[in-house]
């Protein structure tokens, strides 16, 4: 059975303001993620340089 307070659809109060959704650019601005991506990029770069010039 549904309680009466669950059926209250009145708009007496203002809804709380919602924050803007944060997208991919916000995620890329985080220092730990950028450090991780830089390390992975350096490892890929070193592996490709090794394959091209030393093998």
């Amino acid at each position: 059975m549904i309680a009466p307070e669950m059926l209250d659809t009145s708009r007496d109060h203002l809804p709380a303001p919602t924050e803007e959704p944060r997208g991919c650019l916000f995620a890329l601005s985080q220092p730990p993620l950028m450090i991780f991506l830089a390390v992975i990029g350096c490892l890929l770069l070193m592996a490709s340089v090794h394959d091209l010039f030393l093998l």
Side-chain angles (χ1 to χ4, degrees):
M1 181 173 220
I2 298 175
E5 60 269 6
M6 295 178 78
L7 297 175
D8 185 20
T9 58
S10 63
R11 301 209 179 230
D12 294 339
H13 61 285
L14 296 173
T18 58
E19 293 184 14
E20 288 187 24
R22 294 181 173 172
C24 190
L25 290 178
F26 175 77
L28 286 177
S29 67
Q30 303 302 310
L33 178 62
M34 290 306 295
I35 292 171
F36 172 75
L37 292 176
V39 168
I40 296 299
C42 287
L43 290 174
L44 288 172
L45 180 66
M46 290 188 331
S48 63
V49 167
H50 178 267
D51 286 347
L52 285 173
F53 297 117
L54 298 176
L55 291 180

